[in-house]
Amino acid sequence: MFLSDASTARSDKTLLAYRTVSQTVMDILGGDVPLRSITRPQCRDLLTKLAMVPLHARKRWPDRSALEAISLSEGQRFQTMSPAHLNGHMNKFSSLLNWATKEELIARNPALGLRIHDPVPPRDKRRPFSAEQLRKIFMAPIFRGCVDDENGYAVPGSNRPTRGRYWIPIIGLYSGLRLNEACQLDTADVRMVEGHLCFIITTASEHGADDKRLKTLSSERIVPVHPVLLDLGFEAYVRARRSANDMKLFPELSSRHGLYSHLFSRWFARFLVSCGAAAERTCYHSFRHSFRDACRAARMDRDIVMALGGWSSASDSSGSVSDSYGRGHSPAALFQSISLVRYEGIEWSTLADSP
């Protein structure tokens, strides 16, 4: 009932995560235990037991329960869940109990607030890319010339394919879009607004499709295309997609678990290794952190930064696209600000001159 509740929209990936957590929790608490009988001490014991479950236990012992996996791992040096991962399990379990409370199935949530201390501050979960990492990323063959943008993306060659694997990292760096926001773009989501080419970040579709997801309400927004993207020929790329009648801006990307970013994220992790830019706590989302730092370096107005990044702001929590047309910032003001985003050490001229 909880996962099928129509009042909450969840992606396939989120549903899979909830089911995985549910199975682990049932392994520990007992599959037949009634919700009404679950106590606070049981929830504390669940927290303790989750901290003992080896990583990838189901892959290692597919026919064994979580408790059996704990027993099998005794005396061995298997890695266990990180505090963030463990707390994520407890949060999902607590969400179920919160729902049960609202539905009057139980009187209160016995797992409320239960979590372990995470020594890594939230701002350090993901780091921005360093200047050297950015240089390595954008000097890689996929940007400077490769065999192809599939299996040959890391091999130097004479081809310069400009599809998703080329554009999406540049979009992340200069627009601050989340990975799935960029991967799921419809071709119609890039259009002129008051004289400026803009990304329209929205779940709406001109084709009536229901395949786009946003993280929060404030994620829905307008982001003008940065001058670097324009200089590299992004507008011509968009026109080519329209001429080809491609509904999706990056038609080669497919949705997996309800997200167009799923497979791209895995590829990007391999790409970072291939170009020597892989480092602890950096991933595609590090582009978003780099973008935020670049906005700070440009001394950009904070409300405009919040609007560009789709971050919630104390002065405006609605976050709808219509804000940019009425009481929000105009596309001209947003474009003027985003044009201030710069990064040292990246040579774009050779890319702009490429065929």
Side-chain angles (χ1 to χ4, degrees):
M1 291 174 61
F2 168 61
L3 293 182
S4 60
D5 187 347
S7 66
T8 302
R10 298 186 177 93
S11 69
D12 292 345
K13 185 177 181 180
T14 299
L15 290 172
L16 178 61
Y18 268 102
R19 292 188 181 103
T20 301
V21 170
S22 175
Q23 184 59 58
T24 303
V25 169
M26 287 191 295
D27 284 351
I28 295 173
L29 292 181
D32 299 325
V33 61
L35 284 179
R36 287 184 179 275
S37 71
I38 297 175
T39 64
R40 183 73 169 184
Q42 283 178 299
C43 291
R44 287 193 177 278
D45 182 64
L46 170 65
L47 184 66
T48 301
K49 293 289 199 308
L50 284 174
M52 300 165 63
V53 177
L55 273 183
H56 312 302
R58 294 200 180 280
K59 290 183 180 179
R60 194 173 276 119
W61 303 292
D63 300 324
R64 300 302 183 100
S65 70
L67 287 177
E68 290 173 322
I70 292 172
S71 297
L72 289 168
S73 66
E74 285 183 4
Q76 303 186 57
R77 302 178 69 177
F78 289 122
Q79 185 180 359
T80 54
M81 285 188 277
S82 68
H85 193 184
L86 194 159
N87 289 335
H89 275 55
M90 290 301 296
N91 287 341
K92 287 181 173 61
F93 179 53
S94 188
S95 293
L96 164 64
L97 297 177
N98 281 336
W99 174 84
T101 303
K102 292 176 184 177
E103 294 294 314
E104 299 182 354
L105 300 176
I106 59 176
R108 61 183 180 83
N109 177 358
L112 186 66
L114 279 181
R115 55 190 293 116
I116 64 171
H117 171 66
D118 190 343
V120 181
R123 70 174 294 136
D124 292 336
K125 296 292 184 182
R126 290 287 182 265
R127 294 173 177 165
F129 286 120
S130 67
E132 179 61 15
Q133 283 177 295
L134 290 177
R135 189 193 68 79
K136 288 180 177 179
I137 288 170
F138 293 108
M139 285 300 293
I142 188 71
F143 298 102
R144 304 289 165 170
C146 59
V147 171
D148 57 52
D149 63 354
E150 295 181 351
N151 293 332
Y153 68 86
V155 182
S158 59
N159 294 315
R160 295 195 177 180
T162 54
R163 298 195 299 171
R165 290 182 174 182
Y166 174 90
W167 287 117
I168 290 173
I170 306 175
I171 290 171
L173 183 64
Y174 280 102
S175 304
L177 269 61
R178 297 177 178 92
L179 179 54
N180 196 58
E181 289 175 345
C183 290
Q184 71 182 3
L185 284 167
D186 289 345
T187 302
D189 291 337
V190 185
R191 58 181 183 267
M192 299 298 292
V193 181
E194 298 180 15
H196 295 278
L197 189 67
C198 296
F199 295 106
I200 312 298
I201 310 304
T202 178
T203 56
S205 171
E206 290 189 0
H207 303 275
D210 183 27
D211 61 345
K212 294 189 285 184
R213 303 287 180 268
L214 294 180
K215 185 176 181 181
T216 63
L217 287 175
S218 59
S219 299
E220 195 158 315
R221 64 199 188 279
I222 289 175
V223 183
V225 175
H226 193 281
V228 164
L229 280 155
L230 296 175
D231 291 343
L232 293 176
F234 183 67
E235 189 171 5
Y237 173 81
V238 176
R239 285 199 302 268
R241 299 283 65 75
R242 287 200 180 97
S243 297
N245 293 318
D246 287 326
M247 186 183 82
K248 286 297 180 184
L249 189 62
F250 305 111
E252 74 277 12
L253 303 184
S254 58
S255 177
R256 184 73 63 89
H257 303 306
L259 297 171
Y260 282 91
S261 59
H262 182 77
L263 295 177
F264 193 99
S265 178
R266 293 188 172 188
W267 169 80
F268 192 77
R270 298 192 301 271
F271 164 73
L272 289 179
V273 173
S274 73
C275 67
E280 187 180 5
R281 296 178 191 166
T282 55
C283 61
Y284 183 90
H285 201 70
S286 297
F287 283 130
R288 191 162 160 83
H289 288 264
S290 295
F291 177 81
R292 185 66 179 89
D293 280 349
C295 292
R296 290 189 182 100
R299 299 185 181 277
M300 207 179 292
D301 179 85
R302 184 178 184 276
D303 280 350
I304 285 186
V305 174
M306 297 297 103
L308 288 171
W311 291 289
S312 60
S313 171
S315 62
D316 178 16
S317 59
S318 65
S320 68
V321 170
S322 61
D323 292 343
S324 296
Y325 289 90
R327 60 188 174 83
H329 300 287
S330 69
L334 295 173
F335 179 76
Q336 183 179 27
S337 292
I338 204 169
S339 298
L340 299 175
V341 170
R342 294 182 176 88
Y343 302 93
E344 299 296 330
I346 306 175
E347 180 54 59
W348 297 108
S349 61
T350 55
L351 272 70
D353 294 338
S354 64

